[in-house]
Amino acid sequence: MKISLLGFLFLSFSFFAKAHQQDSVVIKRLFDLSLTNGESYENLRVLCKTIGHRLSGSPQAAKAVVWGKKVMENAGFDKVYLQEVMVPHWVRGTKEAAALTLMNNPKTKDGMPVTQKMKISVLGGSVGTNGITTGEVIEVKDLAELDQLGEANIKGKIVFYNRPFDPTYIQTFKAYGHCVDQRVDGASKAAKYGAKGVIIRSMAHGHGDHPHTGSVRYTDSLPKIPAAAISTVSADLIADELAKGRKVFFSMEFDCQLLPDVLSYNVIGEMKGSVYPDQVISVGGHLDSWDIGEGAHDDGAGCVQSMEALRMLKVLGVKPRHTLRAVLFMNEENGLRGGKKYAELASASGEKHVAALESDRGGFVPRGFSIEGSAAQVKWLESLSPLLKSYDLHYFEEGGTGADISPLKKYFPDIVLFGFVPDSQRYFDHHHAETDVFENVNKRELELGAASMAALVYLIDYHLLK
Amino acid sequence: MKISLLGFLFLSFSFFAKAHQQDSVVIKRLFDLSLTNGESYENLRVLCKTIGHRLSGSPQAAKAVVWGKKVMENAGFDKVYLQEVMVPHWVRGTKEAAALTLMNNPKTKDGMPVTQKMKISVLGGSVGTNGITTGEVIEVKDLAELDQLGEANIKGKIVFYNRPFDPTYIQTFKAYGHCVDQRVDGASKAAKYGAKGVIIRSMAHGHGDHPHTGSVRYTDSLPKIPAAAISTVSADLIADELAKGRKVFFSMEFDCQLLPDVLSYNVIGEMKGSVYPDQVISVGGHLDSWDIGEGAHDDGAGCVQSMEALRMLKVLGVKPRHTLRAVLFMNEENGLRGGKKYAELASASGEKHVAALESDRGGFVPRGFSIEGSAAQVKWLESLSPLLKSYDLHYFEEGGTGADISPLKKYFPDIVLFGFVPDSQRYFDHHHAETDVFENVNKRELELGAASMAALVYLIDYHLLK
């Protein structure tokens, strides 16, 4: 049969239009389901309120594994299983106290020193103080400044890293990216010049009165010195005092420690592919959290959204073409052991891992998705814009996707990775802090995220150019 | 001089590219200024925390007028003035109590009735109960249902309007639009069939435990009966009871009243146009609020953003081509008298009002702008997308803009109206409720809104196709 070019174009268009129409219907149903009978919010409530925070190796992390497995079993996935992974086991301990001493304070009688308690949050992985660590405070704005100051100015002191977030970055993750070296590498850099300890301005915008924790990374060849975060309000207080030319002393005491590694698990649920059962598309978040707050946005949200994405596709009777997998990764916060193990085992299994989506930027209102893939795949993602516009999804850009799925690239060079991108404005108000609790997650925002992720998984499964 | 078509195109392109580049610089500076040294958040704090809610005619509304004038005088605008407007003066009174009586409740001994207090918020404009109003509750889901039930079923009862928000609307204002007839027209519709009073499910998503107020509109020819909102949680409780076939009685008592009109003001600040001094572009929000909460999102946010937009253009030395005007409208909530007066006086002054922008959808993270204008003007707004994309502004659509600027259309048929469109997901959590307080406004979200509005005012002033 011969058809004219015009006829061919017409047929192609019809096919495209029909596929597009069908996609629209599926996507609308996913959003309707999430917003009317979604389970993501209730699941998050249970995780946050009955288990709470869950640092790798903790009893709560073990409970969270059982919880995640049960949620997926209840959803009726084809297969739910655990993946063994040894994780670090750092414990904050029972003491966590600090005090600030202001010298020559004109507010006091005769300029006598005045001491006040200060709230700290020990950085994850820090050594304890082994008694009380006290020292004069020296403020720096970046790591390079220590090289200029040298041992003469630093030895025996407590280095205070105080470079604030740059508020002019519209995407708050950029502000974080430009500051976080202070928290991660600041301790060893200061230890190199003989500092006794470090305190870090919290990785947050503006003026909050609670400290934000996070991991510190020691250089093995250097002494390990204690490291803690202080709130942005406390940081401004110290900086003001120093700016007036007055001396400031800081004392801190904490007994955190690193215990032997513990056996833990990634939690995985699967729906078998009807066309490509050996080709896998995963959607995931991380199950562990820091040991303050409830890990609601970071990353309880990503966990419940990932499970919900698969559950909703199942409820709607969408037949997966590839094998779809929801993955709750263990130990993103202080080791990435779960992400690494998952990639290693995926490779060893002989399966082809074609795509992965990660949600680890909080349960805020969706903006869109980032992608790491070929030029054609980037174009494909961009082409979804008209289909998803009415759900306020508009961000479809090449860029970083997620920490837990990044190890897959090593084993599957052709894999395409996606990151769920919610609005970032409020993320660092709560990140790694006591305010990262269920109450600060908005139900509709969380549900819209779950639906957006389900829609993308469906579109990848049915339409992605491989 | 003759130039080739190619040369002409090249010159046009160069001009365009240069203009575009310059715009980019101005817009970046506006965002930087708002996010580093913005005053919108501090202004909102003062409005909310030192004045609080400010219903038309109240002493707080009078204080807010003084406050707004002072903020604009401090900003150094060319001219700051008040515009007289008579406004309604409804007062909630001192009593606002209600109780629910559940009959045949199996939980009680012998099925005895059980009475419990219930939180209500009298609807603005409602008559008082003149003693206690008690009646059996009859539930309806829409106004048409009353025609079917008729006097036989309604007379002497309290009509309970219980149609909930449809959660599947992505834009929450649509859900509101499909429910609000119950609150606005429900009382007179029920009075027509002899009801004693009405209670309304709050105009809100989900399960909140606080009532949301708002205005009721009486039909003059019908008896005016008392009307109050109950929380969505209370509404579900009553509906559950009725669904079990049990009788429910409701009692309420309140002494609100409508006092004589009061003299109040729109507050206006102006920057004189350098090219078209007689042509006006306005940006505004409304200064009055309901008399619970602090009117932080509704519409303290719009007020501080509007003043901030002009202030920032002044600080950056951007020379206005048209006359720019920040307008704080009085009485949007229960009369729109300020909006009507402003339009009337603008017309009488002989000026040409070319464009108006309104912010009255809360101080949430910006999405973009709506427009009411010619097809070419809609295209013009859409054409801003590339310029504003990096600020996460993506919504540029024809549609409703704002209540206070709508009267301008009557006098200036060629005017183009714009509405600031922030994300709508959390708006109805706080709308007209005790939780609409300063603490529920995020600093960055508010500042991004102010910058977005300033950017649009600048682009209208410099580039809008009239």
Side-chain angles (χ1 to χ4, degrees):
Chain A
M1 191 180 89
K2 275 173 73 176
I3 53 169
S4 67
L5 178 63
L6 199 68
F8 173 75
L9 286 174
F10 177 75
L11 282 173
S12 305
F13 178 77
S14 303
F15 173 77
F16 176 77
K18 202 173 161 187
H20 199 283
Q21 196 184 9
Q22 197 179 20
D23 293 342
S24 292
V25 171
V26 172
I27 292 165
K28 171 82 171 99
R29 283 184 187 155
L30 287 168
F31 276 87
D32 285 357
L33 178 58
S34 191
L35 292 165
T36 53
N37 288 301
E39 297 183 359
S40 58
Y41 190 66
E42 188 51 32
N43 284 338
L44 187 63
R45 183 200 305 271
V46 172
L47 176 63
C48 291
K49 295 303 174 193
T50 69
I51 297 174
H53 60 65
R54 46 199 178 276
L55 188 59
S56 291
S58 68
Q60 297 96 311
K63 277 187 201 168
V65 166
V66 175
W67 165 85
K69 186 160 177 278
K70 198 169 166 200
V71 169
M72 292 202 264
E73 283 167 352
N74 289 347
F77 296 159
D78 297 336
K79 197 170 140 189
V80 181
Y81 55 101
L82 304 181
Q83 206 168 54
E84 291 190 354
V85 54
M86 295 302 292
V87 296
H89 188 200
W90 178 83
V91 290
R92 188 168 295 270
T94 51
K95 276 184 218 156
E96 189 177 60
L100 186 72
T101 300
L102 308 175
M103 309 297 285
N104 314 115
N105 192 312
K107 285 184 203 158
T108 62
K109 213 171 151 185
D110 310 325
M112 287 288 282
V114 58
T115 295
Q116 62 183 82
K117 278 191 184 175
M118 187 159 272
K119 212 169 164 184
I120 55 169
S121 184
V122 179
L123 296 187
S126 173
V127 294
T129 53
N130 197 15
I132 296 174
T133 297
T134 298
E136 189 186 337
V137 173
I138 179 166
E139 179 186 0
V140 295
K141 288 287 168 60
D142 61 47
L143 300 176
E145 220 177 310
L146 278 82
D147 296 326
Q148 291 149 29
L149 289 166
E151 200 174 306
N153 291 300
I154 295 170
K155 192 164 184 174
K157 291 187 183 160
I158 289 182
V159 172
F160 165 38
Y161 288 97
N162 193 32
R163 183 162 81 261
F165 270 28
D166 181 343
T168 67
Y169 288 114
I170 303 297
Q171 307 302 336
T172 60
F173 283 88
K174 279 198 188 164
Y176 179 69
H178 282 81
C179 277
V180 74
D181 61 338
Q182 300 173 99
R183 192 196 73 209
V184 175
D185 297 320
S188 285
K189 184 82 185 186
K192 187 180 165 190
Y193 294 110
K196 275 184 176 175
V198 295
I199 51 176
I200 319 277
R201 180 191 183 89
S202 279
M203 297 293 123
H205 284 287
H207 293 268
D209 58 4
H210 52 269
H212 297 238
T213 193
S215 60
V216 58
R217 181 172 60 196
Y218 291 121
T219 304
D220 282 337
S221 58
L222 291 164
K224 294 187 169 72
I225 60 172
I230 59 173
S231 73
T232 51
V233 163
S234 296
D236 288 343
L237 187 155
I238 297 177
D240 280 355
E241 203 65 18
L242 293 170
K244 288 174 190 148
R246 299 186 201 137
K247 287 199 175 190
V248 172
F249 284 80
F250 198 84
S251 306
M252 53 190 178
E253 183 178 21
F254 38 85
D255 57 357
C256 51
Q257 52 182 320
L258 190 62
L259 303 174
D261 285 0
V262 165
L263 175 64
S264 187
Y265 306 91
N266 294 325
V267 187
I268 299 176
E270 253 179 45
M271 300 274 288
K272 205 73 188 164
S274 59
V275 184
Y276 309 108
D278 296 333
Q279 298 190 14
V280 176
I281 298 166
S282 72
V283 52
H286 65 85
L287 193 52
D288 63 308
S289 79
W290 279 110
D291 57 340
I292 50 178
E294 294 168 0
H297 280 291
D298 187 14
D299 182 27
C303 290
V304 298
Q305 288 173 326
S306 297
M307 297 189 291
E308 181 74 346
L310 246 63
R311 186 192 74 85
M312 293 195 296
L313 290 167
K314 184 177 158 63
V315 167
L316 294 183
V318 176
K319 208 171 179 176
R321 299 173 76 242
H322 304 77
T323 288
L324 305 184
R325 198 179 274 165
V327 187
L328 313 185
F329 296 97
M330 183 53 71
N331 186 229
E332 190 273 345
E333 293 294 1
N334 58 341
L336 210 68
R337 301 270 187 93
K340 288 172 185 165
K341 176 62 78 173
Y342 174 79
E344 190 187 310
L345 294 180
S347 169
S349 74
E351 72 196 25
K352 188 176 178 203
H353 211 304
V354 296
L357 165 62
E358 181 166 327
S359 168
D360 188 17
R361 299 185 187 201
F364 300 98
V365 74
R367 290 283 190 175
F369 300 96
S370 58
I371 180 170
E372 296 177 75
S374 68
Q377 287 163 336
V378 173
K379 278 220 166 307
W380 175 80
L381 181 67
E382 288 166 0
S383 77
L384 302 181
S385 176
L387 197 59
L388 299 174
K389 189 181 168 183
S390 60
Y391 303 98
D392 269 354
L393 294 166
H394 63 96
Y395 183 92
F396 303 100
E397 308 251 333
E398 203 165 5
T401 57
D404 276 312
I405 59 176
S406 63
L408 285 163
K409 284 188 278 193
K410 181 176 158 190
Y411 304 100
F412 304 96
D414 294 335
I415 195 170
V416 51
L417 304 180
F418 297 89
F420 170 58
V421 179
D423 189 81
S424 75
Q425 296 310 323
R426 290 173 286 143
Y427 188 69
F428 290 97
D429 295 350
H430 308 302
H431 182 242
H432 297 180
E434 64 187 33
T435 61
D436 188 8
V437 293
F438 177 70
E439 289 77 2
N440 285 327
V441 178
N442 177 277
K443 183 170 182 280
R444 285 182 61 83
E445 294 191 348
L446 183 76
E447 290 169 347
L448 287 167
S452 302
M453 288 165 60
L456 184 67
V457 169
Y458 162 76
L459 290 166
I460 296 168
D461 186 30
Y462 272 68
H463 299 297
L464 178 67
L465 305 166
K466 277 184 286 196
Chain B
M1 191 180 87
K2 274 172 74 177
I3 54 169
S4 68
L5 178 64
L6 199 67
F8 174 75
L9 286 174
F10 177 75
L11 282 173
S12 305
F13 177 76
S14 302
F15 174 77
F16 177 77
K18 203 173 161 187
H20 200 283
Q21 197 184 8
Q22 198 179 17
D23 293 342
S24 292
V25 171
V26 172
I27 292 165
K28 171 85 171 96
R29 283 184 187 155
L30 287 168
F31 276 87
D32 285 357
L33 178 58
S34 191
L35 292 164
T36 53
N37 288 302
E39 297 184 357
S40 58
Y41 191 64
E42 188 52 30
N43 283 338
L44 186 63
R45 183 201 305 273
V46 172
L47 175 63
C48 291
K49 295 301 176 193
T50 70
I51 297 175
H53 60 66
R54 45 199 179 276
L55 189 57
S56 291
S58 68
Q60 298 95 313
K63 279 188 198 167
V65 166
V66 175
W67 164 85
K69 185 160 178 278
K70 198 169 168 200
V71 169
M72 292 202 264
E73 283 168 352
N74 289 346
F77 296 158
D78 297 335
K79 194 169 140 191
V80 180
Y81 55 101
L82 304 182
Q83 206 168 54
E84 292 191 354
V85 53
M86 294 302 291
V87 297
H89 188 200
W90 178 84
V91 290
R92 188 169 295 272
T94 51
K95 277 182 217 157
E96 188 176 62
L100 186 72
T101 301
L102 308 175
M103 310 298 283
N104 314 116
N105 192 312
K107 284 182 200 158
T108 61
K109 212 170 150 184
D110 310 323
M112 288 288 283
V114 57
T115 295
Q116 63 183 82
K117 279 191 185 177
M118 187 160 273
K119 211 169 163 184
I120 55 170
S121 184
V122 178
L123 296 188
S126 174
V127 294
T129 52
N130 197 14
I132 297 175
T133 297
T134 299
E136 190 185 336
V137 173
I138 179 166
E139 179 186 0
V140 295
K141 288 287 167 61
D142 60 49
L143 300 177
E145 221 178 309
L146 277 81
D147 297 324
Q148 291 149 29
L149 289 167
E151 200 174 307
N153 291 299
I154 295 170
K155 191 164 185 173
K157 291 187 183 159
I158 288 183
V159 173
F160 165 38
Y161 288 97
N162 193 33
R163 183 162 81 259
F165 270 28
D166 181 343
T168 67
Y169 288 114
I170 303 298
Q171 307 303 337
T172 60
F173 282 88
K174 279 198 188 164
Y176 179 69
H178 281 79
C179 277
V180 76
D181 62 338
Q182 301 172 99
R183 192 195 73 209
V184 175
D185 297 320
S188 285
K189 184 80 185 187
K192 186 178 164 192
Y193 294 110
K196 275 184 175 174
V198 295
I199 50 176
I200 319 278
R201 180 190 183 90
S202 280
M203 297 293 122
H205 283 288
H207 293 268
D209 58 4
H210 52 270
H212 298 238
T213 194
S215 60
V216 58
R217 181 171 61 196
Y218 290 121
T219 305
D220 282 336
S221 57
L222 291 165
K224 294 187 170 73
I225 59 172
I230 58 174
S231 74
T232 52
V233 163
S234 296
D236 288 343
L237 187 154
I238 297 177
D240 281 354
E241 203 66 17
L242 293 170
K244 287 174 190 149
R246 298 185 201 138
K247 287 198 173 187
V248 173
F249 285 79
F250 198 85
S251 306
M252 53 190 180
E253 183 179 19
F254 37 85
D255 57 357
C256 50
Q257 51 182 320
L258 190 62
L259 302 174
D261 284 1
V262 165
L263 176 63
S264 187
Y265 306 91
N266 293 325
V267 187
I268 299 177
E270 255 181 42
M271 299 274 288
K272 205 73 189 164
S274 58
V275 184
Y276 310 108
D278 297 332
Q279 297 189 15
V280 176
I281 298 166
S282 72
V283 52
H286 66 84
L287 192 51
D288 63 309
S289 79
W290 278 109
D291 57 341
I292 51 179
E294 295 168 359
H297 280 291
D298 187 14
D299 183 24
C303 290
V304 298
Q305 288 173 326
S306 296
M307 297 189 291
E308 180 75 346
L310 245 64
R311 187 191 73 86
M312 293 195 297
L313 289 167
K314 183 177 160 64
V315 167
L316 295 183
V318 176
K319 206 170 180 178
R321 299 174 76 241
H322 304 76
T323 289
L324 304 184
R325 197 179 277 165
V327 186
L328 313 185
F329 296 97
M330 184 52 71
N331 186 231
E332 190 272 345
E333 293 294 4
N334 57 340
L336 210 67
R337 301 269 187 93
K340 287 173 185 165
K341 177 62 78 173
Y342 174 80
E344 192 187 308
L345 293 180
S347 169
S349 75
E351 72 195 25
K352 188 176 176 201
H353 211 305
V354 296
L357 165 61
E358 180 165 330
S359 168
D360 188 17
R361 299 184 187 202
F364 299 98
V365 73
R367 289 283 188 176
F369 300 97
S370 58
I371 179 170
E372 295 177 78
S374 68
Q377 288 163 336
V378 173
K379 278 220 168 305
W380 175 80
L381 181 66
E382 289 166 0
S383 77
L384 302 180
S385 177
L387 196 60
L388 299 173
K389 190 182 166 181
S390 61
Y391 302 98
D392 269 355
L393 294 166
H394 63 96
Y395 183 92
F396 304 98
E397 308 249 335
E398 203 166 3
T401 56
D404 277 311
I405 58 177
S406 62
L408 285 164
K409 283 187 280 191
K410 182 177 158 189
Y411 304 100
F412 304 96
D414 294 335
I415 195 170
V416 49
L417 304 180
F418 298 89
F420 170 58
V421 179
D423 190 80
S424 75
Q425 296 311 320
R426 289 174 286 142
Y427 187 69
F428 290 97
D429 294 351
H430 307 302
H431 181 243
H432 297 182
E434 65 186 33
T435 61
D436 187 8
V437 294
F438 177 70
E439 289 77 2
N440 285 328
V441 178
N442 178 277
K443 183 169 182 282
R444 286 181 61 82
E445 293 191 347
L446 183 76
E447 290 169 348
L448 288 167
S452 302
M453 288 165 58
L456 185 65
V457 169
Y458 162 76
L459 290 166
I460 294 170
D461 186 30
Y462 272 68
H463 299 297
L464 178 67
L465 304 166
K466 280 184 284 194

